[in-house]
Amino acid sequence: TLFYPNALAGALLLLLPATLAALWQLRSRLTPAARCFLMGVVATAALGCLYWSGSKGGWLLMLLIGLLALLRVQFSRRLKLALVIGVLLAGLAGFFWKYAAFFEKGATSVTARFDYWRAAAQTAKERPIFGTGPGTFAIAYEKVKRPESEMARLTHNDYFEQASDSGVPGFLAYTLFIVAALARSYPKAGKTAVQRPDDWLVFSVWLGVLGWGLQTLVEFGLYIPSLAWPAFTFLGWLTARKLPTPPQAARRPGTG
């Protein structure tokens, strides 16, 4: 279903923010203490799975999502700044401590991804209009890959994948679609301290889709249905919420 550990990290990025927000919305059924307890249990389990997945991009993106959520909270600017700096420093320190050996060995997976992206760009340059066809990156990559590089069937970047498979028009169309959809569906914060009950839920769903969209810069979440289908469902739901409400039907003559 999720193929490999980095895809599990993608599922956590996509679903954890909305899950925590949904638990917080259970005001009529649970006390604040019970809701905080449940959120703590779910967050601890999810972050533990993220840690054990070994996904370095997932770690950094979850840190980014957490910082964006903190910036959304309405409290004093000084306290908010202190929390953001504290979380950022703690997250980065933990990241470099966990993956110190990985960087000492030369960050081989990062180097491999750069080789995939180079090959995708070269393919797009050679076939700029139509690319080599959907799902054919492996065929094109096999011809240009370096001898020491590991073979790959996908580019590990869904945007470059479109450039290789479908040419520059496909790359531009897909990239603009994702960027425009995220920008159009962004839920702006309320101007008052009292927000609607579902404001945090909507924002959390948007955060999850943002995390998915950013992870596809280094992974292939578009090609994993268990990630892509929920992500596009959430994106459609968010976009529909931003559409203008249709005007009420005009009253017929003679009605009060």
Side-chain angles (χ1 to χ4, degrees):
T1 301
L2 291 174
F3 185 67
Y4 81 144
N6 287 348
L8 171 61
L12 294 171
L13 288 168
L14 178 63
L15 300 175
L16 180 59
T19 301
L20 295 179
L23 289 174
W24 184 249
Q25 297 297 322
L26 300 176
R27 293 181 174 87
S28 61
R29 299 183 180 182
L30 299 173
T31 64
R35 284 181 283 151
C36 289
F37 173 76
L38 284 176
M39 291 173 66
V41 170
V42 171
T44 301
L47 294 177
C49 290
L50 179 64
Y51 174 85
W52 290 313
S53 75
S55 173
K56 292 161 280 293
W59 183 312
L60 295 176
L61 288 173
M62 189 65 78
L63 179 60
L64 174 63
I65 287 176
L67 292 176
L68 292 176
L70 276 178
L71 291 174
R72 184 83 166 197
V73 178
Q74 295 182 348
F75 48 75
S76 68
R77 182 175 298 179
R78 182 175 298 179
L79 178 59
K80 184 183 294 186
L81 180 61
L83 283 174
V84 168
I85 293 176
V87 171
L88 179 62
L89 292 177
L92 291 178
F95 175 82
F96 287 110
W97 171 79
K98 171 73 166 72
Y99 296 111
F102 169 78
F103 288 106
E104 289 177 359
K105 293 178 181 179
T108 54
S109 64
V110 176
T111 304
R113 278 170 171 76
F114 278 119
D115 194 39
Y116 304 154
W117 302 342
R118 175 194 61 81
Q122 182 176 338
T123 302
K125 182 178 180 180
E126 295 173 356
R127 297 174 177 266
I129 304 302
F130 299 111
T132 57
T136 59
F137 171 75
I139 299 174
Y141 180 59
E142 190 174 15
K143 299 176 181 178
V144 299
K145 85 177 193 71
R146 296 171 180 170
E148 68 275 11
S149 297
E150 182 181 358
M151 187 58 192
R153 297 187 62 183
L154 294 168
T155 314
H156 286 261
N157 181 310
D158 286 339
Y159 307 93
F160 279 153
E161 185 78 35
Q162 309 316 308
S164 175
D165 290 1
S166 305
V168 175
F171 164 76
L172 293 176
Y174 180 72
T175 303
L176 289 175
F177 168 70
I178 295 296
V179 172
L182 283 170
R184 179 70 179 83
S185 63
Y186 174 71
K188 296 181 180 179
K191 297 181 180 179
T192 62
V194 179
Q195 296 180 326
R196 293 177 301 175
D198 63 343
D199 278 354
W200 266 104
L201 179 60
V202 176
F203 180 64
S204 298
V205 171
W206 185 86
L207 276 181
V209 178
L210 174 67
W212 171 82
L214 291 176
Q215 196 202 28
T216 59
L217 287 167
V218 294
E219 291 297 338
F220 43 85
L222 178 63
Y223 296 85
I224 301 177
S226 56
L227 294 179
W229 292 3
F232 284 116
T233 299
F234 289 159
L235 194 58
W237 178 72
L238 290 167
T239 304
R241 290 182 60 88
K242 297 286 288 189
L243 294 176
T245 303
Q248 296 182 352
R251 293 181 177 178
R252 292 176 297 177
T255 58

